[in-house]
Amino acid sequence: MNELPTDQPRTVETTIYDEGGSALKSVSTPVTVTAGSTGTTCTQTLTLSSCQLWSPSTPVRYYATPEF
């Protein structure tokens, strides 16, 4: 949301963490929040090269944390 009369530049950074809390990879994307808008859409793509697939015997989880 941007209640200001001018566009506002911002950055969206998303970090992927493993179960132990170690950061594996981050991506940062600049966005412009238009003056008077109630929201802005941002698309990010991030590829992990050495992740483990989830299965009942090895329930590995990863967490994505966005910051604005």
Side-chain angles (χ1 to χ4, degrees):
M1 174 180 267
N2 180 8
E3 296 176 344
L4 298 173
T6 57
D7 294 351
Q8 297 296 305
R10 296 290 182 257
T11 300
V12 177
E13 182 174 11
T14 302
T15 303
I16 305 295
Y17 295 92
D18 64 15
E19 287 184 299
S22 296
L24 301 176
K25 196 161 191 182
S26 292
V27 63
S28 184
T29 305
V31 296
T32 299
V33 183
T34 307
S37 70
T38 57
T40 299
T41 300
C42 172
T43 301
Q44 295 181 310
T45 302
L46 207 150
T47 303
L48 296 176
S49 59
S50 60
C51 59
Q52 298 175 346
L53 295 177
W54 188 94
S55 73
S57 60
T58 57
V60 178
R61 290 181 284 212
Y62 297 93
Y63 302 92
T65 304
E67 292 183 28
F68 305 96

